[in-house]
Amino acid sequence: SRSTMDHQPKFFENLSGAGKAIAVLTSGGDAQGMNAAVRAVVRMGIYVNAKVYFIYEGYQGMVDGGDNIVEVSWESVSSILQVGGTVIGSARCKSFRTREGRLQAAFNLVQRGITNLCVIGGDGSLTGANLFREEWSGLLEELAQSGKIDAEAVKKYAYLNIVGMVGSIDNDFCGTDMTIGTDSALHRIIEVVDAIMTTAQSHQRTFVLEVMGRHCGYLALVSALACGADWVFIPEYPPEEGWEDTMCVKLSENRARKKRLNIIIVAEGAIDCHNKPITSEKVKDLVVQRLGFDTRVTILGHVQRGGTPSAFDRILASRMGVEAVLALLEATPDTPACVVSLSGNQAVRLPLMECVQMTQEVQKAMDEGRFLEAVRLRGRSFENNLNTYKLLSHKRPDAELPKTNFNVAVLNVGAPAAGMNAAVRAAVRVGITEGHKIFAVIDGFEGFARGKIKEISWGDVGGWTGQGGSILGTKRTLPAKYLEKIADQMRTNNINALMVIGGFEAYLGLLELSAAREKYDEFCVPMVMVPATVSNNVPGSDFSIGADTALNTITDTCDRIKQSASGTKRRVFIIETMGGYCGYLANMGALAAGADAAYIFEEQFDIRELQANVEHLTEKMKTSIQRGLVLRNENCNENYTTDFIYQLYSEEGKGVFDCRKNVLGHMQQGGAPSPFDRNFGTKISAKAMQWISKKLKETYRKGKVFANTDDSVCLLGMRRRNLVFQPVAELKSETDFVHRIPKEQWWLKLRPLMKILAKYKTSYDVSDSGQLEHVAMLPKEAETGAI
């Protein structure tokens, strides 16, 4: 697809770091995933033949010099991928804020020939780095005048290049969809909320949870979305005057509806519309005084910064680290200092100061009480989260709801995937808000044919977001053999639209139903599919609900397995993952777990490749890293089975390493959904239901709904940066039906990353990166897939 462009693709092999020195530091508050970023910078730097240095203890270490700035090797960053926080330390540094401090820092860098800095930290750290860059030539002049360095050095090291990565659990940096650490912090919050919900349920309690975020409500907002909290307080969107009454009415209504618990989430920086703080204690006292509910406060505090980084953060940080080194190699004196960031699932570079200015604009808007502006400046993703939360948390009184007289059926199809229930909940609640009657179908198309269908209410789906598997029940059965019976059920229950949440079978099912429209008028209704499968093999979407949870399961298991291997030296593990023919889980799991190889169906391999991998591991055993990890997708090759590879490795590795194998199996489909899957499921499903409403209005003629065009059977997927509705008929040409995978898959582009980080020579097309973009204030209607 790239060949259509005029210019040749750009390959990173042609970029050399020879003669360059790169230093990496972490600064400001720590965040999970910083180590993954450090590891990627070090390995990518060494890979392109640059010298790489650690700067310990952030800017303090840069000012103090000495042992705080050391050259590192490939092995220096082994085993840090799964460690939270930052292994090179971070400190608040007063002296770097003074010119003398920066002068000393410049001297320490020049002595080692370092003119490339990679800074991982929050906006304060990045602003400091930019100032340092602007002053650089002046600092060198001053050092030369005082005789500390010679004129030659001033010429040789005339320019300082800076690339930033944002590590901050608050996700408070404009221009980046997700900052490193945010997803892991959400994991910690959700673990706590899930635990608290069970005890609150037992005692009919109200819990007030305080989460971090002094100036940014992202964590509070997304965790409220992900656990279905009753109320949330965030700095960007203060409650209206008289919120005390509104909130208490809402809490007591929920209790009246047989809900045994209430969860209220408060960001530590929450304020009211007069900019006065709203504290968790204040909220608790209010509930106790007005309602007399048994109320407890839990302040999460530093738990949110701790623990192992999630799979998402490891992959994000690894991608950013590699991108940062590319940006440094391509930097010139004329390019502004940049931040590498993620937009949708695409790596982008943005001018550092534009991001910082916009981040400061948000604060200014909040200080001046321009709250709507603050929400808008936070970006599309934040605004979507807020709108979705408002839509799902408050049921309007029946008298206020519109009545459309449309009936919409929701069903789950395929294998269970974590996050399906969150999607069903969102569909039901948005559907009710839009005025429809929602029917739940039990056990997929098979249940549909048997008439297992019943109306479902707002309260029925309470507490569903955190539940794993599929509460409605799901089957892999396709509708083709039940067409007559399903048509009957649609007629009997007067179903005017279908929403299918599921995997590849759901996609095939919609193709079959739309083909059957000629014969059955009942299928001439709007139908939409939301992709939910751990395999992530549905065409038309980069992500599917459930894949993130499965990836975390794989990563956690690999961490444990690696730990077991550190006791017994020289051991190689072969781990089989699910995914059908789709290598997403194996490939991304390998990237997140720091594996040595991943065998997948999409990239054919032969005995020579297996031989090369064994030799690579034999070499590795001579270093200080004496263990290996190899992932294999279950269907990557019918002859090179997991047993075959295990036996081959065992034989070839005799006397050098021994081997173990592990088939992960169905644990990959289970477990509570990750924050990403809850949020993605909720948002994508709400959007799908809004599309159904729109289509119902468009296709309602003469007292009935009649839709028979291709664009009335769609799949809603995330494509690069946007959520898009695509007619399933158009996706046929993009599908390999034999192997049940899309013909083109975006993540294959990340395959070289895993190989680079595992020290294999490889080719890597970096044509996509390198253009500096600008921080745009996006138009209101723009939708994003950012979670």
Side-chain angles (χ1 to χ4, degrees):
S1 61
R2 295 208 67 88
S3 52
T4 52
M5 295 192 177
D6 310 331
H7 59 275
Q8 287 302 302
K10 179 172 74 178
F11 288 98
F12 98 112
E13 306 87 281
N14 309 332
L15 297 168
S16 167
K20 293 191 174 178
I22 298 172
V24 58
L25 76 148
T26 52
S27 169
D30 70 322
Q32 307 95 322
M34 279 183 166
N35 290 326
V38 168
R39 169 180 179 266
V41 170
V42 169
R43 294 199 164 171
M44 184 69 172
I46 291 171
Y47 199 96
V48 296
N49 294 319
K51 281 184 162 183
V52 185
Y53 291 82
F54 273 169
I55 298 177
Y56 285 102
E57 312 308 337
Y59 288 119
Q60 192 63 54
M62 202 196 293
V63 175
D64 296 346
D67 295 344
N68 288 305
I69 308 177
V70 289
E71 191 179 346
V72 287
S73 69
W74 190 271
E75 278 107 70
S76 309
V77 290
S78 167
S79 309
I80 68 171
L81 187 62
Q82 61 269 33
V83 180
T86 160
V87 294
I88 57 177
S90 175
R92 306 257 177 229
C93 175
K94 288 214 172 76
S95 47
F96 193 75
R97 296 192 171 163
T98 64
R99 186 160 169 105
E100 295 73 64
R102 293 192 291 275
L103 196 63
Q104 188 55 46
F107 175 66
N108 291 333
L109 293 185
V110 168
Q111 275 197 309
R112 296 167 177 80
I114 299 170
T115 55
N116 293 285
L117 267 192
C118 179
V119 183
I120 307 166
D123 56 347
S125 317
L126 299 180
T127 315
N130 193 60
L131 175 65
F132 190 42
R133 180 184 188 215
E134 286 170 357
E135 288 184 351
W136 183 257
S137 50
L139 293 170
L140 294 198
E141 295 287 333
E142 200 173 315
L143 288 169
Q145 276 159 14
S146 59
K148 289 209 170 150
I149 59 173
D150 54 23
E152 187 54 37
V154 178
K155 268 218 283 292
K156 189 173 177 190
Y157 305 123
Y159 298 106
L160 176 69
N161 296 317
I162 283 182
V163 171
M165 277 183 266
V166 191
S168 150
I169 63 166
D170 292 345
N171 202 19
D172 55 359
F173 196 75
C174 292
T176 58
D177 277 350
M178 286 293 267
T179 58
I180 295 167
T182 305
D183 187 64
S184 303
L186 287 170
H187 272 260
R188 295 302 91 78
I189 296 171
I190 294 304
E191 284 156 17
V192 171
V193 175
D194 285 355
I196 279 177
M197 278 185 151
T198 52
T199 156
Q201 195 91 28
S202 316
H203 295 279
Q204 301 203 32
R205 281 198 173 128
T206 295
F207 269 86
V208 180
L209 286 177
E210 183 180 304
V211 301
M212 281 185 169
R214 268 185 311 234
H215 306 295
C216 177
Y218 185 89
L219 291 177
L221 179 55
V222 174
S223 44
L225 248 185
C227 72
D230 297 82
W231 201 272
V232 64
F233 292 98
I234 57 174
E236 292 86 346
Y237 187 76
E240 293 164 9
E241 286 281 10
W243 59 269
E244 296 88 344
D245 301 332
T246 326
M247 181 181 82
C248 290
V249 166
K250 166 122 203 295
L251 296 179
S252 50
E253 271 177 8
N254 279 355
R255 284 292 171 96
R257 281 210 288 272
K258 305 265 192 308
K259 189 174 174 187
R260 292 177 60 90
L261 76 161
N262 304 109
I263 301 271
I264 300 167
I265 295 183
V266 184
E268 58 180 337
I271 46 174
D272 64 17
C273 50
H274 306 297
N275 258 323
K276 298 267 183 303
I278 295 178
T279 63
S280 38
E281 278 302 325
K282 182 176 165 183
V283 175
K284 175 196 155 173
D285 295 342
L286 188 75
V287 176
V288 173
Q289 277 162 13
R290 301 236 183 147
L291 301 169
F293 290 171
D294 183 357
T295 308
R296 298 281 190 273
V297 173
T298 300
I299 296 174
L300 292 190
H302 283 76
V303 165
Q304 296 161 85
R305 288 193 188 280
T308 177
S310 64
F312 182 95
D313 272 331
R314 296 181 196 194
I315 292 164
L316 171 71
S318 301
R319 288 178 69 183
M320 299 295 92
V322 167
E323 186 68 26
V325 173
L326 290 175
L328 284 171
L329 293 181
E330 296 182 44
T332 67
D334 305 326
T335 49
C338 75
V339 178
V340 288
S341 123
L342 207 59
S343 175
N345 65 24
Q346 202 179 340
V348 291
R349 296 179 196 172
L350 302 160
L352 189 147
M353 284 322 286
E354 281 186 25
C355 297
V356 169
Q357 273 150 6
M358 186 131 131
T359 304
Q360 289 164 352
E361 283 292 313
V362 180
Q363 194 50 49
K364 210 170 125 203
M366 282 173 3
D367 293 342
E368 293 170 8
R370 292 180 287 122
F371 295 109
L372 285 170
E373 182 70 1
V375 168
R376 209 174 67 101
L377 286 167
R378 277 269 180 247
R380 302 188 288 184
S381 152
F382 191 90
E383 211 170 350
N384 287 343
N385 282 323
L386 186 57
N387 293 335
T388 309
Y389 176 76
K390 288 195 284 199
L391 205 62
L392 297 175
S393 61
H394 302 255
K395 181 179 193 294
R396 309 216 317 254
D398 290 343
E400 284 179 29
L401 289 174
K403 282 278 174 286
T404 61
N405 296 324
F406 290 132
N407 296 340
V408 182
V410 179
L411 65 160
N412 290 162
V413 175
M420 277 182 162
N421 301 320
V424 173
R425 169 183 176 267
V428 169
R429 292 197 167 177
V430 172
I432 290 171
T433 306
E434 306 257 315
H436 314 316
K437 269 191 179 164
I438 308 294
F439 287 80
V441 177
I442 314 297
D443 296 340
F445 288 119
E446 196 174 311
F448 208 165
R450 297 204 178 125
K452 291 164 119 178
I453 177 169
K454 60 175 199 303
E455 194 183 338
I456 187 165
S457 72
W458 181 281
D460 292 340
V461 290
W464 279 29
T465 27
Q467 306 287 323
S470 160
I471 298 174
L472 291 184
T474 180
K475 285 263 197 293
R476 288 175 180 270
T477 327
L478 291 170
K481 54 180 182 185
Y482 299 118
L483 289 173
E484 183 81 44
K485 288 181 171 161
I486 294 175
D488 280 350
Q489 287 299 330
M490 299 229 350
R491 194 169 52 251
T492 314
N493 294 289
N494 189 19
I495 300 297
N496 310 111
L498 271 191
M499 172 148 164
V500 185
I501 299 161
F504 203 83
E505 286 86 4
Y507 165 65
L508 294 176
L510 282 194
L511 285 171
E512 290 181 1
L513 290 178
S514 63
R517 279 174 161 182
E518 298 169 28
K519 201 170 166 199
Y520 302 96
D521 271 1
E522 287 84 353
F523 299 137
C524 295
V525 296
M527 305 188 213
V528 68
M529 164 183 174
V530 169
T533 162
V534 296
S535 308
N536 197 21
N537 63 334
V538 177
S541 191
D542 292 351
F543 293 116
S544 61
I545 299 165
D548 183 70
T549 305
L551 207 49
N552 276 298
T553 304
I554 293 168
T555 312
D556 289 348
T557 312
C558 288
D559 285 352
R560 292 183 181 189
I561 287 172
K562 273 167 88 169
Q563 219 160 23
S564 82
S566 62
T568 41
K569 288 279 182 262
R570 303 215 296 246
R571 179 164 282 179
V572 174
F573 280 91
I574 289 140
I575 296 172
E576 180 186 302
T577 68
M578 279 185 161
Y581 284 96
C582 175
Y584 179 81
L585 290 177
N587 187 68
M588 299 309 252
L591 192 53
D596 296 282
Y599 298 117
I600 59 172
F601 168 77
E602 291 87 348
E603 195 173 281
Q604 295 291 292
F605 58 97
D606 56 19
I607 197 74
R608 285 181 293 278
E609 183 118 1
L610 290 167
Q611 179 66 36
N613 289 348
V614 172
E615 284 164 13
H616 189 268
L617 283 165
T618 309
E619 281 304 300
K620 185 179 174 183
M621 296 298 165
K622 293 177 185 165
T623 70
S624 58
I625 317 171
Q626 301 190 339
R627 50 150 207 270
L629 192 62
V630 174
L631 270 65
R632 176 189 174 275
N633 158 275
E634 56 184 355
N635 287 352
C636 63
N637 187 303
E638 58 178 332
N639 295 315
Y640 297 146
T641 58
T642 301
D643 284 330
F644 175 91
I645 293 176
Y646 163 68
Q647 285 163 343
L648 178 85
Y649 272 58
S650 298
E651 179 60 36
E652 295 291 317
K654 260 190 191 153
V656 184
F657 57 80
D658 65 356
C659 236
R660 293 288 183 275
K661 66 173 195 281
N662 207 315
V663 177
L664 297 185
H666 281 77
M667 61 190 269
Q668 294 164 87
Q669 280 179 2
S674 66
F676 181 95
D677 280 331
R678 296 180 191 199
N679 198 345
F680 183 53
T682 299
K683 276 171 36 174
I684 194 170
S685 171
K687 199 171 162 63
M689 187 53 82
Q690 287 166 331
W691 177 88
I692 284 183
S693 297
K694 188 173 118 246
K695 283 287 173 215
L696 283 169
K697 282 195 193 87
E698 285 171 17
T699 56
Y700 185 68
R701 295 274 176 284
K702 297 186 185 144
K704 66 174 282 206
V705 171
F706 187 80
N708 66 347
T709 52
D710 281 352
D711 67 0
S712 60
V713 188
C714 279
L715 179 149
L716 172 57
M718 179 175 153
R719 280 270 165 109
R720 271 198 136 153
R721 303 187 188 186
N722 298 303
L723 286 173
V724 276
F725 289 95
Q726 305 141 94
V728 289
E730 287 172 20
L731 291 173
K732 272 164 120 166
S733 59
E734 297 177 26
T735 312
D736 168 352
F737 285 100
V738 179
H739 300 104
R740 303 160 55 95
I741 53 174
K743 287 180 185 166
E744 291 210 353
Q745 304 189 79
W746 68 273
W747 53 265
L748 283 168
K749 278 208 166 135
L750 299 187
R751 221 172 135 64
L753 283 199
M754 188 204 88
K755 295 181 179 173
I756 289 165
L757 296 174
K759 218 174 186 174
Y760 282 93
K761 284 278 166 262
T762 181
S763 172
Y764 181 29
D765 180 351
V766 291
S767 317
D768 275 359
S769 63
Q771 292 80 36
L772 196 65
E773 301 192 8
H774 289 284
V775 184
M777 258 324 308
L778 297 144
K780 295 291 275 197
E781 7 2 302
E783 238 319 334
T784 181
I787 303 308

